[in-house]
Amino acid sequence: MGAAVAWWTVAAVLLQVAGLSLFLYGFFPVKPTLHGFSGAESYRMPSCGPVNAVEQEPALPPNQLRSLYREVSGIPPVYDRLVLMVIDGLPAEFVLGRGGNPPSKEMMESMPYTQSLLAGCKATGYHAKAAPPTVTMPRLKAMVSGAIGGFLDVAFNFNTQAFLEDNLLDQLHMIGHKLVMLGDETWIKLFPTLFARQDGVSSFYVRDTTEVDFNVSRHLDFELVAKDWSVLVLHYLGLDHVGHIGGRRSVLMTQKMKEMDDVIRRVHDASLQDNLERTLLVVVSDHGMTEGGNHGGSSYEETDSLALFIGHSVQRRHCSPYDQNEALQVDLAPTLALLFGVPIPKNNIGVLLPELFNSLTDDQKLRTLELNSWQILRLLQAQIPAFCLEECINSEDSLGIDIHPEYIEKKICHFLSKAFASHQSSRLQQSSDFKSAEALYVGTAVDNYHGFLRYASEWLSHRATDKPFYLLISAILLMTLSCLFLMGTVSSLFKGQSLSQAYHQSESHLDQRWHLDEVFILIGIFLYVISLGSSSFVEEEQYTWNFLTSTLYLIFLIKTVQSMLKGSNSTLVRRVEGKSFDANNFSYATNYELTPGKRDGYKLCTVLIVLIAGRVIRAWHQGGINWVHFPDISKSLAQADSSIVKSLQTISVLAVMTLYSVSLKLLRAKSKVVRGVWWSHISCGLLVLLHIWENQINTSLPINHNTTSIAKLFYAIASVSISSTVLASPWIFPIYSMEAKPASSDSNPVKDIDSRGIRNSVFLTGITYIMFWCLLQLLLQQPINAIPLLLIFLQTFSSIAYFSLDKTLHKQWVQVIAMQFLGMAGHFGLGNTNSLASIDVAGAFIGVSSYSTVLSGILMFIITYGSPLMLYLGMLVYISVKDSDDISTQRQLKLSYILDKMVTLPCLLPLLINSVALTSYTTVLLLMRNHLFVWSVFSPKYLYVCAATVCTYVGVSIIAMTAVYTGAVFSFQTR
Amino acid sequence: MPAQVTQISAVTAAAAHVLCLAGLAAAHALAGRGALVSNPALALRLLVVCEAPVVIAVFSYLRRDRKSCSFIKAAARGLIGLPVGALLNAFGAIVLGAPVGIKYWTVTIYWSLLMSLFTFVPAACVFGASKIDWQNVLSHSMYVLDFYFTPTDADNYIISVPCHGAVLGAWLGAWPMPLDWERPWQEWPICVTYGAVAGYLVGMAVSLVLIAVHKRRVRAKSD
């Protein structure tokens, strides 16, 4: 049976992996992007053939490059200086109104200068629709590169690395523009070396609405007089902070908008000082905000961002400023690129805004459209490799124009050839003298170009967000199948177990009735799965887990009390209990006689410890999204003296070291290996202490070589001692020891010692795993998490002790699932949430001297999943102390039999629970794919679910491999 | 054991439940509509003050050991059981995540007194210090499904079912608390109290049904 179970399990896991990767591939498409920067070749018509064969132009000095661009483009730059003013979170509605109506009177009055510019037709404003996720960094990237990144771009760039794709700022820098940046430090993270002068402010302190903007504006006096820069980026965060605190209608809002209006006035005044009027002022917002001031999703309120242009080329006689002028946020990139005479960034999907080019001649306007089309055509060729323009135009000519083209290639072809043909004919008409005819041709050419550009842009942006429905459905079917496999395996296991149980203990009161704890676990998992469908519950998942876990342990408490009452009542039961107590020889209390009264006391204590520790852990971090600002222990500790945190850390490390010594003592194994492991553990503990103290002294230095080498030494010692323990532990315990200790309470020494060897060795391995794991966590986690870690560790230990004190009280599957529940509650107790923001990035670089994505990724995973993995490691200790008399009844130790008894349930149940969670959440995600919060709430959570799946695989494989190795060694020895 | 126990008739059970209901209704009438949301401490205090004498009196009257125990003694047991049960309930609530800040102390105390009236006090009045009965009643809670689908004594139903209802209702009532609906009733312990009272009422109704079914079955058997 064992082999069949294993095969089914492996098959289920493989199916799950296949389904998961299919779903990830379908849901988070990675679109092909073009690498490198556009150069002079972008002013030539794209040729057919492989796109990658980009002829490398020699790098030119900025001035030569600038004149080269001017020469080949045929359009003189419209402006020389750019002021890009980003007002974080300003909805376009506040400035431009909505649906053709001007904004409310209050809003009009709070931005008098801007409104006067709009009314005087000196400015043009657009509702620039931002693509979700509407958070700052991806939106800034979209503005400067014109590309919409996929969700995974956002997810994998949470430690904001430099922006390497083709973008406007780098292009401007390349032709010799000097850049200055004041404001949000995201810009500096994106472009670490680009700016000649910079002053970054952090968006971390959301409560601060004035300082954050003052720190930008204080430089204005200097910068506006300075003549050396030609691109000035201002990024004001205050308005977004106002929104986060008080929502759209906050009392601070009008005041903040007045402040912004004042900045616009100052900048515009300064730009008017230039008589040449070669300065363009662009006021944009990266995203809007909801009524409550939040953003991240895809509602109109959040995506309605502003793009306002103030410069000579937008001035007109007549205008209607409050028309609903729709544009896309990405349109900013090609527009600015063409206005400043640089190549359009390679991955741009935006379309130039024609109103900005009013000062150009008709011919030049057509040229700008042509350049934009060529650039988009190149991008299209990257997406549809078979597409070829020349072939397409030729075939168009021969076949005539297809009215209803079906294929995307045909459609593009149709639009393109129309556009190029009309452009060509307008060029031909230019030489002739018929002005009216020329204007007519230009008009059709412009229309045709726009037709193509809009269509291609839309297609490209859909390409980034479209989801192949059937692929996703089949992925979910695979996962469901895997889930059913696991369920079938577990249920067949239960059937076999109940049969053998009926055979073995007919007198037993281990009945088939459903107990409250069992019913509760099923209901609890059901409620959890239901709760995944609500975005609020996903945001506040820590409450769900805490509630379920503590309820489960409260039920354990009631059950313990009940069994105590029962025990003191009926003599028959006492006899049975006494018998089971005789057989109970769990390793670390082997030689301790426990009276039933004392045992009950211990049982009560262990459950109470779990409950109370759980409550303290819950109070430690006020996690989640909505109630994060409520006071909690970690916040008050952060405000307190740092020496308190340090001493708490020290206490935790010392406690872990002491507990390890005590449990090794209980093992009573006088082996050199055990002593060696003990010493290495102590030295590791001391290293962690040293690391803590070193860190405390030099908090000012970002990278301390001393601490790095300490951490490295720790990794080395820990890995050596863990692997040597794992390898050696099965060999050091006796298999047949006839000189059995007479003190042991066993009735039949020969048989029992058989199983004790295995159990002791698993115990030693498990306890070594978990203790070193604790030290590793204490090293990596934030200092504030030291006590919660210790508490989770205590919970693990108390649960194991509780389960081993009375083996008949709960069924084994209840015990395994209870430990898994503890792991999940602890995961959130360490301050993790379902948003990517709570991942501790700082810890991922401890002991890593050079930047390595893989290493820090692993460390980040270790930090984030510290608690569930600790419980999986604890499962090994649990296996070693749980009741397994059956092993001893076998004279010969058969490997499959040992494994069957020891690890099937502890391995299968976590896989099953995780599979249920994964499958149901994947279904939820598919159903919610058009939900408002799909990118801000559901997708980050999905990444966590995937990581939890990986965590389950890791934990289960550690359990399984250790058990297989130990069992194999023992069966080899007995042979 | 069942020989000395006076069987409770369905009418007695109904009367007991109606009296308890009347206590709740009186508190509701005194506090006024929506008082639990606007002033939870006052409303909870009224609930406890109105319900406590009713519950203690009713269940002391229904005490098990009529011969050895007077009404006064049973009532005294109930009075002692009230703070003890409150302590247990408060422990449970805090472990499950009830806030422990000073400003919540009064409401937590009143809430746990009320829960004690729903759960612990009836059993304390009826059973006293009888270990067997306590063990019985706890094991009913452990084998929930069995308890509801296999017949037992009528007075087990009258005590256990409303108690289960109150606890389950309170437990379910806590679920909306972390959500971002920004309603005043999401505060501790308002929705939990609503849940507990609702569950208690449902439990009373269910217990009456169960008792009636049980009686009919017993009669059919004896026929």
Side-chain angles (χ1 to χ4, degrees):
Chain A
M1 184 169 134
V5 167
W7 283 119
W8 278 107
T9 314
V10 169
V13 166
L14 287 181
L15 270 180
Q16 194 174 47
V17 169
L20 185 57
S21 13
L22 258 187
F23 190 85
L24 283 176
Y25 171 75
F27 202 81
F28 304 113
V30 181
K31 58 180 177 101
T33 53
L34 296 172
H35 299 286
F37 288 81
S38 297
E41 84 282 352
S42 66
Y43 296 102
R44 286 193 291 272
M45 185 132 150
S47 56
C48 289
V51 200
N52 296 335
V54 180
E55 57 272 50
Q56 199 59 51
E57 313 265 339
L60 290 172
N63 282 331
Q64 285 185 34
L65 199 63
R66 185 188 287 227
S67 49
L68 173 73
Y69 285 160
R70 179 180 297 208
E71 200 180 301
V72 289
S73 72
I75 318 164
V78 184
Y79 295 100
D80 290 336
R81 297 182 103 195
L82 170 67
V83 180
L84 181 64
M85 178 177 171
V86 184
I87 304 176
D88 207 292
L90 176 71
E93 198 179 333
F94 285 7
V95 183
L96 302 174
R98 184 169 180 171
N101 301 315
S104 69
K105 191 158 164 278
E106 194 188 9
M107 291 295 170
M108 295 278 270
E109 279 167 1
S110 56
M111 295 196 107
Y113 187 75
T114 315
Q115 295 298 345
S116 74
L117 286 179
L118 276 171
C121 297
K122 289 179 176 158
T124 301
Y126 294 90
H127 294 265
K129 192 164 172 282
T134 43
V135 287
T136 301
M137 204 210 13
R139 301 284 49 82
L140 294 186
K141 283 186 182 174
M143 271 191 259
V144 296
S145 73
I148 298 175
F151 173 75
L152 286 188
D153 280 0
V154 187
F156 290 139
N157 283 331
F158 50 86
N159 50 349
T160 17
Q161 291 157 355
F163 190 47
L164 299 176
E165 276 181 42
D166 192 3
N167 67 80
L168 189 67
L169 293 193
D170 274 318
Q171 291 283 4
L172 288 170
H173 183 69
M174 267 188 253
I175 64 163
H177 283 280
K178 188 172 176 186
L179 293 88
V180 173
M181 202 292 303
L182 308 169
D184 189 358
E185 61 185 5
T186 311
W187 286 96
I188 301 175
K189 286 176 184 158
L190 288 176
F191 305 103
T193 57
L194 203 57
F195 301 110
R197 280 193 298 277
Q198 58 190 27
D199 183 21
V201 298
S202 169
S203 65
F204 189 70
Y205 303 105
V206 175
R207 299 262 116 198
D208 163 33
T209 63
T210 49
E211 277 300 304
V212 73
D213 286 350
F214 173 74
N215 281 339
V216 180
S217 297
R218 64 180 171 162
H219 298 284
L220 273 184
D221 284 331
F222 171 77
E223 294 295 350
L224 290 180
V225 176
K227 294 285 168 205
D228 60 339
W229 56 262
S230 48
V231 177
L232 173 65
V233 179
L234 303 169
H235 191 136
Y236 284 94
L237 286 167
L239 198 131
D240 187 49
H241 290 190
V242 168
H244 278 297
I245 296 170
R248 277 193 173 208
R249 291 169 209 289
S250 164
V251 281
L252 297 172
M253 192 58 87
T254 51
Q255 195 188 330
K256 184 51 77 179
M257 285 174 67
K258 279 195 184 112
E259 188 188 330
M260 292 298 109
D261 189 57
D262 192 51
V263 174
I264 294 172
R265 185 184 54 75
R266 283 170 71 186
V267 175
H268 192 225
D269 280 353
S271 72
L272 288 179
Q273 303 288 313
D274 284 337
N275 295 328
L276 297 166
E277 291 197 20
R278 302 287 289 177
T279 306
L280 175 66
L281 169 58
V282 184
V283 181
V284 290
S285 59
D286 51 352
H287 49 76
M289 58 173 76
T290 59
E291 221 29 62
N294 290 319
H295 54 85
S298 51
S299 68
Y300 175 82
E301 281 76 17
E302 289 159 281
T303 56
D304 176 37
S305 61
L306 174 74
L308 184 73
F309 298 88
I310 306 166
H312 69 84
S313 72
V314 297
Q315 292 186 9
R316 284 149 296 165
R317 286 289 154 62
H318 310 288
C319 62
S320 44
Y322 301 116
D323 277 354
Q324 185 90 2
N325 265 336
E326 299 278 359
L328 297 176
Q329 196 170 42
V330 286
D331 294 347
L332 199 67
T335 309
L336 290 182
L338 290 165
L339 285 173
F340 282 83
V342 292
I344 301 170
K346 271 193 170 172
N347 289 307
N348 162 62
I349 61 166
V351 180
L352 61 91
L353 300 166
E355 287 83 350
L356 269 290
F357 297 89
N358 282 339
S359 63
L360 295 182
T361 66
D362 284 345
D363 194 38
Q364 286 169 335
K365 280 182 194 167
L366 283 179
R367 174 71 176 162
T368 59
L369 285 166
E370 188 181 48
L371 289 175
N372 199 175
S373 304
W374 285 352
Q375 177 267 322
I376 285 198
L377 190 60
R378 282 199 172 82
L379 190 59
L380 278 174
Q381 281 179 339
Q383 305 247 347
I384 317 167
F387 185 73
C388 178
L389 178 67
E390 280 150 25
E391 280 172 23
C392 148
I393 289 179
N394 292 340
S395 66
E396 265 324 298
D397 285 343
S398 57
L399 291 174
I401 288 166
D402 199 348
I403 310 291
H404 298 293
E406 279 170 22
Y407 298 107
I408 167 72
E409 288 96 333
K410 284 265 180 70
K411 235 172 184 168
I412 292 171
C413 219
H414 167 72
F415 278 119
L416 255 187
S417 49
K418 238 169 78 178
F420 287 146
S422 53
H423 189 181
Q424 199 58 38
S425 44
S426 89
R427 238 180 239 145
L428 291 175
Q429 284 297 320
Q430 213 171 20
S431 44
S432 69
D433 297 329
F434 300 109
K435 277 286 166 203
S436 58
E438 190 198 334
L440 188 74
Y441 275 110
V442 169
T444 43
V446 167
D447 286 347
N448 288 337
Y449 269 124
H450 274 288
F452 164 70
L453 284 171
R454 278 294 163 210
Y455 178 77
S457 158
E458 212 166 277
W459 186 80
L460 283 167
S461 70
H462 272 294
R463 189 71 187 196
T465 51
D466 255 4
K467 299 176 188 78
F469 188 72
Y470 292 105
L471 188 75
L472 299 182
I473 285 284
S474 51
I476 286 182
L477 282 182
L478 278 182
M479 283 189 229
T480 317
L481 196 64
S482 132
C483 192
L484 289 178
F485 271 26
L486 285 173
M487 276 183 191
T489 317
V490 170
S491 70
S492 74
L493 216 64
F494 277 136
K495 245 177 226 158
Q497 225 172 39
S498 62
L499 275 179
S500 71
Q501 232 164 47
Y503 178 71
H504 277 303
Q505 337 170 262
S506 46
E507 104 286 352
S508 153
H509 55 282
L510 247 184
D511 41 357
Q512 300 303 314
R513 285 187 290 177
W514 281 92
H515 291 234
L516 182 58
D517 47 354
E518 294 154 17
V519 177
F520 172 74
I521 283 182
L522 295 184
I523 292 175
I525 290 173
F526 177 72
L527 281 176
Y528 169 66
V529 165
I530 296 278
S531 82
L532 287 178
S534 145
S535 63
S536 307
F537 273 120
V538 170
E539 281 177 343
E540 309 292 331
E541 198 184 329
Q542 75 275 17
Y543 290 105
T544 315
W545 279 113
N546 244 301
F547 202 50
L548 291 179
T549 312
S550 33
T551 311
L552 184 62
Y553 274 86
L554 268 182
I555 292 174
F556 285 176
L557 184 70
I558 297 175
K559 214 169 165 183
T560 310
V561 171
Q562 185 231 346
S563 79
M564 280 163 68
L565 287 172
K566 193 155 76 180
S568 58
N569 257 328
S570 83
T571 48
L572 177 106
V573 175
R574 185 181 291 157
R575 200 175 52 78
V576 174
E577 285 225 337
K579 213 173 108 193
S580 76
F581 167 55
D582 273 344
N584 150 48
N585 52 349
F586 68 99
S587 312
Y588 57 96
T590 318
N591 297 317
Y592 291 91
E593 287 284 349
L594 286 178
T595 62
K598 242 185 183 169
R599 282 160 52 81
D600 285 338
Y602 283 145
K603 271 189 329 197
L604 267 188
C605 279
T606 47
V607 182
L608 285 176
I609 286 174
V610 175
L611 283 171
I612 292 168
R615 183 65 179 92
V616 175
I617 291 172
R618 184 199 143 113
W620 207 271
H621 286 284
Q622 189 74 47
I625 309 290
N626 298 310
W627 318 109
V628 114
H629 53 277
F630 278 28
D632 58 25
I633 301 176
S634 67
K635 276 184 208 114
S636 43
L637 275 181
Q639 281 165 1
D641 194 18
S642 67
S643 65
I644 298 178
V645 178
K646 189 172 121 189
S647 51
L648 287 179
Q649 275 183 293
T650 314
I651 289 171
S652 317
V653 175
L654 289 177
V656 169
M657 283 158 70
T658 325
L659 274 170
Y660 191 53
S661 315
V662 169
S663 43
L664 284 186
K665 274 262 158 54
L666 284 170
L667 197 59
R668 289 173 178 254
K670 305 255 183 310
S671 159
K672 272 190 190 129
V673 176
V674 174
R675 202 157 301 153
V677 173
W678 183 60
W679 276 112
S680 74
H681 187 264
I682 291 208
S683 53
C684 280
L686 292 177
L687 279 178
V688 173
L689 281 182
L690 203 62
H691 187 264
I692 292 166
W693 286 331
E694 279 283 330
N695 245 2
Q696 217 70 30
I697 297 162
N698 311 313
T699 36
S700 52
L701 288 168
I703 300 159
N704 187 341
H705 293 289
N706 221 349
T707 56
T708 308
S709 49
I710 290 175
K712 274 183 178 161
L713 193 59
F714 173 86
Y715 296 148
I717 295 182
S719 48
V720 166
S721 47
I722 287 178
S723 43
S724 58
T725 312
V726 172
L727 290 178
S729 74
W731 302 95
I732 59 175
F733 291 100
I735 321 158
Y736 303 113
S737 61
M738 289 312 184
E739 64 278 11
K741 300 143 203 158
S744 72
S745 58
D746 308 314
S747 45
N748 40 358
V750 182
K751 284 178 185 172
D752 260 17
I753 277 154
D754 250 355
S755 72
R756 190 184 295 161
I758 277 208
R759 279 199 235 158
N760 280 346
S761 87
V762 173
F763 179 79
L764 178 63
T765 316
I767 204 92
T768 309
Y769 277 150
I770 195 171
M771 294 295 185
F772 275 101
W773 183 257
C774 272
L775 284 186
L776 178 65
Q777 292 292 327
L778 285 170
L779 177 77
L780 293 179
Q781 294 268 2
Q782 314 164 27
I784 211 99
N785 273 345
I787 290 293
L789 259 173
L790 184 65
L791 290 174
I792 293 170
F793 177 62
L794 274 183
Q795 282 189 319
T796 317
F797 242 69
S798 308
S799 315
I800 294 168
Y802 171 69
F803 295 139
S804 66
L805 276 166
D806 192 346
K807 285 146 189 168
T808 53
L809 198 54
H810 307 287
K811 296 208 176 107
Q812 201 198 343
W813 67 272
V814 174
Q815 301 173 355
V816 172
I817 290 180
M819 288 183 66
Q820 215 185 355
F821 271 35
L822 271 187
M824 281 316 289
H827 169 68
F828 291 104
L830 289 177
N832 291 306
T833 63
N834 280 335
S835 91
L836 296 174
S838 65
I839 293 177
D840 179 19
V841 183
F845 296 93
I846 292 177
V848 182
S849 42
S850 61
Y851 181 79
S852 149
T853 318
V854 178
L855 262 186
S856 9
I858 291 173
L859 286 185
M860 218 181 289
F861 179 76
I862 288 175
I863 295 173
T864 313
Y865 285 90
S867 159
L869 281 173
M870 190 195 296
L871 267 294
Y872 286 130
L873 299 179
M875 212 80 90
L876 271 174
V877 183
Y878 161 73
I879 290 169
S880 73
V881 299
K882 83 171 203 288
D883 181 36
S884 46
D885 299 324
D886 299 339
I887 296 179
S888 56
T889 58
Q890 295 273 322
R891 283 258 165 210
Q892 274 281 307
L893 284 173
K894 260 203 236 143
L895 174 63
S896 62
Y897 191 74
I898 301 169
L899 292 183
D900 212 27
K901 278 290 158 196
M902 282 174 98
V903 292
T904 24
L905 270 190
C907 286
L908 265 178
L909 283 175
L911 282 176
L912 175 63
I913 302 272
N914 182 68
S915 163
V916 169
L918 177 71
T919 311
S920 50
Y921 193 69
T922 310
T923 318
V924 166
L925 194 61
L926 184 68
L927 294 177
M928 298 284 174
R929 65 191 183 283
N930 295 323
H931 191 277
L932 198 61
F933 295 147
V934 68
W935 297 118
S936 58
V937 177
F938 289 108
S939 299
K941 165 69 184 161
Y942 196 68
L943 294 188
Y944 273 101
V945 171
C946 295
T949 309
V950 175
C951 165
T952 314
Y953 291 162
V954 170
V956 166
S957 54
I958 289 177
I959 297 175
M961 285 196 297
T962 311
V964 166
Y965 174 71
T966 316
V969 168
F970 269 88
S971 61
F972 170 74
Q973 279 179 308
T974 51
R975 196 170 291 160
Chain B
M1 153 184 98
Q4 69 201 40
V5 174
T6 47
Q7 280 291 330
I8 297 168
S9 72
V11 180
T12 328
H17 281 335
V18 165
L19 279 174
C20 292
L21 188 65
L24 288 178
H28 180 74
L30 278 175
R33 241 180 111 81
L36 195 56
V37 177
S38 54
N39 192 351
L42 176 79
L44 280 168
R45 187 163 59 217
L46 277 173
L47 274 173
V48 171
V49 167
C50 295
E51 188 73 357
V54 179
V55 168
I56 292 178
V58 166
F59 285 95
S60 301
Y61 174 73
L62 293 175
R63 65 196 178 279
R64 268 234 162 125
D65 37 1
R66 288 263 164 122
K67 302 231 172 68
S68 60
C69 181
S70 67
F71 178 81
I72 301 294
K73 203 174 160 195
R77 287 196 308 228
L79 274 181
I80 297 167
L82 184 61
V84 174
L87 261 181
L88 293 178
N89 274 302
F91 173 78
I94 287 172
V95 159
L96 285 178
V100 286
I102 295 169
K103 67 170 182 169
Y104 292 105
W105 275 19
T106 42
V107 279
T108 307
I109 288 170
Y110 285 128
W111 176 84
S112 37
L113 284 172
L114 184 69
M115 283 305 284
S116 172
L117 285 174
F118 289 162
T119 55
F120 195 77
V121 172
C125 289
V126 175
F127 301 145
S130 152
K131 257 189 183 171
I132 293 181
D133 288 327
W134 279 102
Q135 198 260 316
N136 250 340
V137 102
L138 276 180
S139 79
H140 290 325
S141 329
M142 278 303 114
Y143 306 100
V144 234
L145 296 182
D146 278 21
F147 174 57
Y148 284 97
F149 298 114
T150 55
T152 52
D153 289 339
D155 49 349
N156 277 337
Y157 282 132
I158 200 176
I159 291 170
S160 294
V161 179
C163 162
H164 291 171
V167 171
L168 191 66
W171 191 82
L172 288 175
W175 276 87
M177 283 175 73
L179 297 184
D180 55 348
W181 296 343
E182 290 173 10
R183 297 292 150 82
W185 51 261
Q186 279 177 288
E187 275 281 302
W188 162 255
I190 300 168
C191 52
V192 180
T193 312
Y194 275 128
V197 172
Y200 186 62
L201 298 180
V202 172
M204 292 202 293
V206 171
S207 87
L208 285 182
V209 172
L210 284 176
I211 289 169
V213 170
H214 177 60
K215 293 275 168 193
R216 179 171 299 170
R217 200 178 292 156
V218 168
R219 209 172 296 139
K221 228 178 233 171
S222 61
D223 285 348

